[in-house]
Amino acid sequence: MTPRNTNTGGVLEAMILPALARGGYSYQKQVRVGQRCGGGNHKVDAIATKSDEKILVSLKWQQTGGTAEQKVPFEVMCLADAVRAQHAARAYLVLGGDGWTLRDYYTSGALSEHLVYAQLVRVVTLEAFVRLANNGQI
């Protein structure tokens, strides 16, 4: 059995960071923003800054069916906690790749029916995030 490629985050970063720069954001990569729910360090892929406003960006890539899908609700919980702890004004969870079976569900905002602070985190597709970042609208 061929091992799965779990090193696709660099590809996603390469797509997101130029869009942030074009939209007038400065950014830091791989930043610790406190503790995850239940313990352990919480690192986000990027913190975008514009006009002294910080925005957390977490990236999940799914090119084939797999475990990233089940990690989305937990990541939303952790990002919401980081926003509530005032590490940033808001957060984005960006879903890239075409291996998502629940992408439409996650990007619809339906998680807010199940998670108390889900409204603090916007779950978007890679294409939507690039469009928003390019236009300086995250």
Side-chain angles (χ1 to χ4, degrees):
M1 183 167 119
T2 306
R4 273 199 316 207
N5 180 4
T6 58
N7 217 6
T8 55
V11 174
L12 193 54
E13 253 185 35
M15 295 177 200
I16 294 291
L17 300 180
L20 289 172
R22 182 173 181 187
Y25 297 92
S26 60
Y27 57 83
Q28 296 173 281
K29 299 186 315 184
Q30 299 297 318
V31 181
R32 184 180 175 275
V33 290
Q35 297 289 306
R36 284 196 171 276
C37 303
N41 289 331
H42 184 198
K43 261 188 174 177
V44 292
D45 292 294
I47 296 181
T49 305
K50 187 175 189 181
S51 303
D52 293 327
E53 186 175 57
K54 293 182 178 185
I55 302 134
L56 304 179
V57 181
S58 182
L59 315 169
K60 297 289 180 209
W61 182 263
Q62 181 91 331
Q63 62 190 27
T64 60
T67 61
E69 201 129 52
Q70 290 102 26
K71 296 174 183 175
V72 169
F74 185 68
E75 186 64 17
V76 169
M77 290 167 47
C78 293
L79 287 167
D81 274 0
V83 171
R84 291 180 63 230
Q86 300 181 342
H87 292 287
R90 61 188 166 281
Y92 281 83
L93 177 52
V94 181
L95 307 180
D98 58 3
W100 299 92
T101 57
L102 296 174
R103 179 170 42 192
D104 291 342
Y105 175 76
Y106 288 141
T107 59
S108 74
L111 278 179
S112 64
E113 296 175 27
H114 307 285
L115 303 175
V116 177
Y117 297 106
Q119 77 279 2
L120 299 175
V121 180
R122 189 162 172 205
V123 181
V124 296
T125 64
L126 172 62
E127 297 81 6
F129 186 84
V130 168
R131 178 179 34 77
L132 291 167
N134 273 338
N135 292 321
Q137 297 175 333
I138 64 168

